[in-house]
Amino acid sequence: LDEAERESFWRDPRRSVLARLTQRTEPKHRAGEPEVLRRLLSLSRRVNSSLSIERVLDYAVDAAVELTGAERGFLLLAEPGAGPRVAASRAGLDPERGPSLGVVERVLGSQEAVLTTDAAADARFSAQRSVHALRLKSVLAVPISTPERLLGVVYVDSRVQRSRFTESERELLVALSDPIAVALSNARLHFELEQRTRELEEQKRTVERLSAQKDRELRTLREELRAKERALELRYDYSQIIGRGPKMRAVLEQLDRVMDAGVNLLVLGESGTGKELVARALHVNGPRKSGAFVGLNCAALPETLLESELFGHARGAFTGADRDRKGLLLEADGGTLFLDEIGEMPLPTQAKLLRVLQEREVRPLGSTKTQPFDVRLVCATHRDLEAEVAAGRFREDLYYRVAVVVVRLPPLRERLEDLPELVKALLARIAQTAGRAPPELGRDALRALSLHPFPGNVRELENVLTRAVVMSSGKRIEAADLELVTRAAPARTSSTRLEFEREERERILEALRETRWNVSVVSRRLKIPRNTLYRKLERYGLSRTE
């Protein structure tokens, strides 16, 4: 419409409301240049007040809308290898409709600001569908860039008023784009620095974890190396005796010292601790290894047969003696004689054995001739022979003859550090006998074994593992596959208070050892209140070291 028709058009009462909406409003900053600069500075400071990319984007689009008086505002980031992406927006009542991508792409391509007061009539954009679909009137878009690269575009528009934006708004938005670019660059650098810091922290934790693992492996290798070095330090081969813990090592070092001496030995230890293995090691490594190793269990034979086995007999010496027979003392001549459970030997036989050992010659039963012999005597028993001597059940003179050197074998519960090695060796031997691959022992199973008292020691352990290998169907033995039966301790009576306290102390100490000093379990097992148990521990002087 020409100017006269346009004036007549707007005077129509039906268009009075529309006329007010389409009247150009002066931006607030037109009041004065200093006020405009103060607003620009304030908005720039707000944009640069955060190092968070999300907040910088939100502050920037808010500042652009507030500075230009736009209806909508968008901040789009240039993604390498992809189109522009809307990173922040103030879309008012129509949030689903975005900016005109044609205008944005023009700014990105030219890297110059674009201003149009009537986009639909602008020849640059009249052919673009987005302009007509959005019914855009005024559009202003400014590039955000640094000397290194283009970061994005600040875009504002108005779909109601033509000529909403002028050169003044363009200059203000261009001036605002520089602080936005600086703030975005700083925020991105901060984000990348934080990300790099997190990566470095994660790498540091990974290195620390690997270092700790390597340290554990190194400690294990050092322990294995020390064990091998200690094994090499021993003069003789004790490969049949499993375990190189402190207590077993002390035993082996003692054997090293007496190996060549040829003196008689007494091996003390509970049943199943490996007393015969010690005797065989003395024979195999000693100077008599070319001779015979002969063993006899003194508790397995009655008195008459025991004497016949030891000393031999002549033909006709007693009923059934249809031929001469050499006794074990003569069979072991030049070698080693092992008398197991010598504490069970009857007193008359003890007296005869003492005479034979003193004279170093033996006369078989029913014979008139004596024969010399030369053996190394190794005896073993689970009894306390000194107590047996005091009680009159064992001859004192024989004790001093057989116990020139006393070797004490620790029970399994006192050398649990050897348990993993023992289990591994026993499982390999059991599996080889059964014709199958050795199973793996679970950690819970090893823990259950370490908590068991094992009154039968290594013999009982072998029995438990054999049963587990036979009964288990998998390649791994768990705690449920072990049948560990704890036998109740026999009831003991005491005639005096001193004996009662001594027996109670031993009972508490035994329970503490079996449970690895778990006071709660001992309290429940012995039915002693915990506070009372602590008082008894203090009164009896019991501590972990004991």
Side-chain angles (χ1 to χ4, degrees), residues 425-442:
L426 290 174
L427 284 177
R429 189 170 68 191
I430 295 167
Q432 183 179 10
T433 303
R436 55 188 291 187
E440 182 182 355
L441 191 73

Side-chain angles (χ1 to χ4, degrees), residues 234-513:
L234 297 171
R235 296 168 55 198
Y236 300 101
D237 178 21
Y238 302 108
S239 57
Q240 295 301 315
I241 302 176
I242 307 300
R244 295 298 183 267
K247 293 194 174 182
M248 282 306 299
R249 180 167 180 80
V251 170
L252 299 182
E253 289 175 350
Q254 185 181 11
L255 295 181
D256 255 5
R257 290 192 293 269
V258 302
M259 187 67 67
D260 296 330
V263 297
N264 297 336
L265 269 80
L266 175 63
V267 184
L268 300 178
E270 297 179 6
S271 177
T273 51
K275 297 185 287 294
E276 185 173 350
L277 288 178
V278 171
R280 289 186 179 275
L282 284 168
H283 173 73
V284 171
N285 294 295
R288 297 174 178 269
K289 59 184 178 182
S290 58
F293 177 85
V294 180
L296 175 65
N297 190 329
C298 299
L301 298 174
E303 181 179 349
T304 54
L305 289 181
L306 180 60
E307 293 182 9
S308 176
E309 286 290 319
L310 278 174
F311 311 128
H313 61 264
R315 180 180 179 182
F318 52 84
T319 304
D322 54 354
R323 58 186 177 85
D324 293 342
R325 185 186 185 283
K326 292 170 60 176
L328 297 183
L329 285 167
L330 294 177
E331 288 184 8
D333 187 26
T336 304
L337 175 62
F338 174 59
L339 296 181
D340 196 8
E341 298 301 343
I342 192 173
E344 311 299 326
M345 181 178 289
L347 285 171
T349 309
Q350 293 180 28
K352 296 177 181 179
L353 178 62
L354 175 62
R355 182 185 59 82
V356 169
L357 294 177
Q358 287 175 341
E359 297 177 0
R360 308 299 293 177
E361 58 182 15
V362 60
R363 186 175 65 178
L365 297 177
S367 176
T368 58
K369 295 181 180 180
T370 59
Q371 300 182 36
F373 66 91
D374 180 20
V375 299
R376 183 176 194 175
L377 184 63
V378 180
C379 300
T381 181
H382 70 281
R383 294 183 179 275
D384 184 354
L385 283 192
E386 291 183 351
E388 294 293 301
V389 169
R393 291 187 293 268
F394 197 85
R395 292 182 63 95
E396 184 177 8
D397 45 5
L398 179 60
Y399 172 77
Y400 293 125
R401 179 67 63 177
V402 300
V404 177
V405 175
V406 178
V407 177
R408 300 181 186 274
L409 292 182
L412 180 57
R413 62 181 174 274
E414 294 182 5
R415 59 182 188 107
L416 291 176
E417 65 275 5
D418 296 331
L419 185 60
E421 188 179 359
L422 273 169
V423 169
K424 182 179 180 181
L426 290 174
L427 284 177
R429 189 170 68 191
I430 295 167
Q432 183 179 10
T433 303
R436 55 188 291 187
E440 182 182 355
L441 191 73
R443 297 183 66 178
D444 59 337
L446 183 60
R447 176 173 175 80
L449 290 175
S450 66
L451 294 176
H452 187 66
F454 283 107
N457 293 290
V458 180
R459 187 179 294 117
E460 181 183 357
L461 174 63
E462 183 176 9
N463 179 270
V464 169
L465 293 177
T466 302
R467 184 166 53 246
V469 170
V470 172
M471 300 304 294
S472 65
S473 56
K475 297 181 179 180
R476 185 181 179 88
I477 296 177
E478 304 293 349
D481 299 322
L482 302 174
E483 296 182 15
L484 299 173
V485 180
T486 303
R487 296 188 296 272
R492 292 179 289 186
T493 59
S494 54
S495 57
T496 65
R497 180 176 180 83
L498 182 61
E499 291 180 0
F500 171 79
E501 290 181 350
R502 183 170 60 250
E503 292 174 359
E504 184 181 47
R505 184 184 188 279
E506 291 299 322
R507 186 164 63 252
I508 294 174
L509 181 58
E510 182 179 0
L512 288 171
R513 286 172 175 168

